[in-house]
Amino acid sequence: MDASTIMRAYAALGDLTPMLTDCGLLCSAACCRPDEDGQGGVHLFPGERAALGDCAWGRIVPGGLAPMLVCEGPCERDRRPLGCRIFPLTPVRGRSGKWTVRMDARARAMCPLARSGVGGLDPAFVRAARDALRVVAEDPEGEAFLERWFHLEEEYRRPLW
Ligand code: SF4
Ligand code: SF4
């Protein structure tokens, strides 16, 4: 997937964020902090590693799906990856077969917005996140990545026993 597709996905989201106010103030930006093991990060969509270029605020490590960005400080906001831009949403196929969004199961552990569900988020953000993922899905490599992302996120929905 080339960089222009990921840039179109970023443009679909524009400056929209989950809330009209800075939700990072609710949780001290919990989704930007590594977990207790110093791990955790955001998977990079196809083409994002190249689009990201030099990244002074974090390191790139191997991840289950793709390279991951693990942040060590605040990012240059305009350069944050798509996974950060859509969080706490995650891709899922709707009944029509088109990609849409739902609350990411991984948000339950750290995001105060998870409790109120998708309906508690700014509707314009929800629509824009869906549109951004549909831009990604136009590209076969992007669509295959969405499938893998979806299956990984499904794992977090399974009961542990
Ligand atoms: S954890 Fe949730 S509420 Fe906190 S900054 Fe991330 S998206 Fe916003
Ligand atoms: S790139 Fe920015 S928004 Fe994403 S986890 Fe790092 S600091 Fe947070």
Side-chain angles (χ1 to χ4, degrees):
M1 192 165 86
D2 67 29
S4 67
T5 304
I6 205 77
M7 292 302 168
R8 280 200 297 124
Y10 292 172
L13 272 154
D15 293 330
L16 292 165
T17 57
M19 307 289 287
L20 294 174
T21 53
D22 180 0
C23 60
L25 298 176
L26 300 173
C27 62
S28 303
C31 55
C32 294
R33 292 198 300 269
D35 59 25
E36 296 124 15
D37 304 327
Q39 303 299 311
V42 57
H43 282 106
L44 300 176
F45 278 66
E48 266 195 321
R49 177 67 192 92
L52 194 58
D54 290 338
C55 175
W57 68 87
R59 58 201 157 84
I60 309 292
V61 301
L65 286 183
M68 294 180 87
L69 172 63
V70 178
C71 291
E72 294 162 339
C75 60
E76 288 176 42
R77 193 162 172 75
D78 291 347
R79 296 175 62 203
R80 69 196 193 287
L82 187 58
C84 302
R85 293 171 196 246
I86 64 170
F87 193 79
L89 298 176
T90 191
V92 63
R93 271 194 201 279
R95 287 201 194 97
S96 66
K98 286 188 176 173
W99 288 99
T100 184
V101 290
R102 67 181 174 184
M103 191 60 72
D104 194 318
R106 291 163 285 194
R108 286 192 299 235
M110 98 282 283
C111 179
L113 306 180
R115 265 173 262 132
S116 49
V118 174
L121 306 181
D122 174 15
F125 166 76
V126 175
R127 284 193 298 273
R130 182 200 61 200
D131 292 346
L133 293 173
R134 288 182 183 175
V135 168
V136 169
E138 288 170 11
D139 183 289
E141 188 187 4
E143 173 139 53
F145 185 78
L146 291 179
E147 291 282 3
R148 296 205 308 279
W149 181 296
F150 165 75
H151 286 295
L152 178 69
E153 192 265 343
E154 278 275 290
E155 294 289 318
Y156 290 91
R157 291 175 185 271
R158 298 228 170 106
L160 293 176
W161 57 81

